[in-house]
Amino acid sequence: MSAALTPAPPLPDLSQVTRVDEVGVAERVARFQTRSIKTESKTAALKMILSMIDLTTLEGQDTPGKVRQLCQKAMHLHDQLPGLPHVAAVCVYPTMVGIARKALGDSGINVASVATAFPSGMAPRHIKIDETKIAVAEGADEIDMVISRGAFLQGDYRFVFDEIAAVKEACGEAHLKVILETGELSTLDNVRRASVLAMHAGADFIKTSTGKIQPAATLPVTFVMLQAIRDFHRETGRMVGMKPAGGISNSKLAIHYLVMLRETLGNAWMTPEWFRFGASSLANDVLMQLQKQATGVYQSADYFSKD
């Protein structure tokens, strides 16, 4: 007897997806950036941001040594400031997952891996599925997959939907973050439509960008995706996480993102389980700001390692 196949989830009717009011989005985003933050709330926010960061190395020149160095940084990021939370994950290419898994040990820091022919997504589906299974077998806790933007922009939603669903099944127990690469989607309506498609196909997280295309994460794009998550939760009861990635390099901007998160989705999403920052350089600025909160003075920009 042949093994039972997992039924394909139904494709949502994307013609019914709410159109985005771009002027309204701009006005809401502007207001998020004017909120007054008290000192004690700012300190709590900085610690929360630190716990939500995915430290990343995704370069063609990556080596086992460079990945081990990044893992060491993740585990000893703030030895001079004890009591702070560790980052959420280290993100690497599939061939480096085993190296990262061994280096991180039982630190509690997850291993995330980009699969599915990152960053272009230009590969046959069976290769994307095999790459995903290899990364999971090597110890990845999270898979970051990029959608096929060409197919999406041509309106072949069935192709994109089925591909996400197939990769989700290949993930097994690992969480799936679906990268929309919003810098290539042209309009906020497309961002909203791709968000709905990814969530219905099984995404555990939706993510703005690979970091290889500009513009990467922006406040308006992230706000549209947060609204899509909110509406999806109201419709289905299922929570989906959010990861803005690329271009968030300082604490002030990251706090604006947290304000927007809280006012759109509420406190339930304000944990590393449901929100991440894909911004390695952000960790250094967060630590500088926390040092300033503790001592009243800034350290130099080189006080915390950037490597």
Side-chain angles (χ1 to χ4, degrees):
M1 180 182 296
S2 60
L5 297 175
T6 302
L11 180 69
D13 182 358
L14 297 180
S15 68
Q16 300 301 311
V17 173
T18 306
R19 299 292 302 271
V20 176
D21 174 3
E22 296 199 12
V23 174
V25 167
E27 290 176 349
R28 287 291 305 277
V29 167
R31 288 203 292 272
F32 292 136
Q33 298 174 75
T34 62
R35 300 290 189 269
S36 176
I37 309 294
K38 295 180 180 178
T39 299
E40 57 269 28
S41 297
K42 183 178 179 182
T43 300
L46 290 169
K47 293 178 180 178
M48 183 179 293
I49 292 166
L50 191 62
S51 74
M52 293 171 164
I53 291 175
D54 288 357
L55 285 182
T56 301
T57 182
L58 296 171
E59 301 297 336
Q61 59 186 352
D62 284 349
T63 63
K66 184 177 180 183
V67 170
R68 291 190 193 98
Q69 186 178 33
L70 184 67
C71 293
Q72 284 295 308
K73 175 179 177 177
M75 292 187 291
H76 302 285
L77 192 61
H78 43 64
D79 286 351
Q80 60 272 61
L81 291 173
L84 297 179
H86 57 62
V87 297
V90 167
C91 184
V92 296
Y93 276 117
T95 53
M96 296 294 173
V97 168
I99 302 294
R101 178 78 282 157
K102 184 176 180 181
L104 291 171
D106 59 359
S107 64
I109 299 172
N110 281 356
V111 177
S113 183
V114 292
T116 70
F118 180 93
S120 69
M122 301 292 281
R125 185 172 302 174
H126 70 89
I127 291 178
K128 296 180 180 183
I129 291 171
D130 287 348
E131 191 178 36
T132 300
K133 289 180 177 178
I134 290 170
V136 172
E138 288 288 308
D141 305 290
E142 305 166 7
I143 296 295
D144 290 28
M145 76 163 286
V146 62
I147 67 168
S148 298
R149 284 86 73 196
F152 178 85
L153 291 170
Q154 285 186 322
D156 193 351
Y157 303 135
R158 180 85 252 177
F159 178 90
V160 179
F161 183 87
D162 289 347
E163 193 164 71
I164 295 170
V167 173
K168 168 64 178 173
E169 185 168 6
C171 283
E173 296 297 320
H175 278 199
L176 176 63
K177 305 194 199 93
V178 177
I179 307 168
L180 307 183
E181 195 64 297
T182 54
E184 293 185 335
L185 296 187
S186 302
T187 68
L188 291 179
D189 281 328
N190 278 341
V191 170
R192 168 109 187 175
R193 198 173 294 119
S195 300
V196 172
L197 182 74
M199 291 187 289
H200 278 277
D204 298 300
F205 263 71
I206 52 176
K207 174 179 172 181
T208 60
S209 320
T210 62
K212 306 295 186 184
I213 298 292
Q214 295 297 326
T218 66
L219 285 163
V221 158
T222 303
F223 181 52
V224 168
M225 294 171 71
L226 292 175
Q227 288 182 313
I229 290 172
R230 178 199 62 196
D231 295 344
F232 180 78
H233 180 250
R234 287 174 178 169
E235 177 186 350
T236 68
R238 186 165 75 85
M239 291 178 70
V240 172
M242 174 71 207
K243 180 179 174 180
I248 308 168
S249 60
N250 66 70
S251 301
K252 182 178 180 180
L253 179 57
I255 289 174
H256 292 327
Y257 275 86
L258 285 190
V259 170
M260 186 165 66
L261 172 66
R262 182 175 184 179
E263 296 190 15
T264 308
L265 293 179
N267 288 333
W269 267 266
M270 299 190 71
T271 76
E273 185 180 3
W274 298 110
F275 194 83
R276 298 285 181 83
F277 289 102
S280 291
S281 61
L282 175 60
N284 302 86
D285 190 66
V286 169
L287 291 173
M288 286 181 61
Q289 298 301 327
L290 284 167
Q291 184 81 345
K292 169 67 163 48
Q293 297 286 327
T295 66
V297 297
Y298 280 113
Q299 298 295 332
S300 75
D302 297 326
Y303 185 75
F304 298 101
S305 169
K306 293 181 179 179
D307 298 323

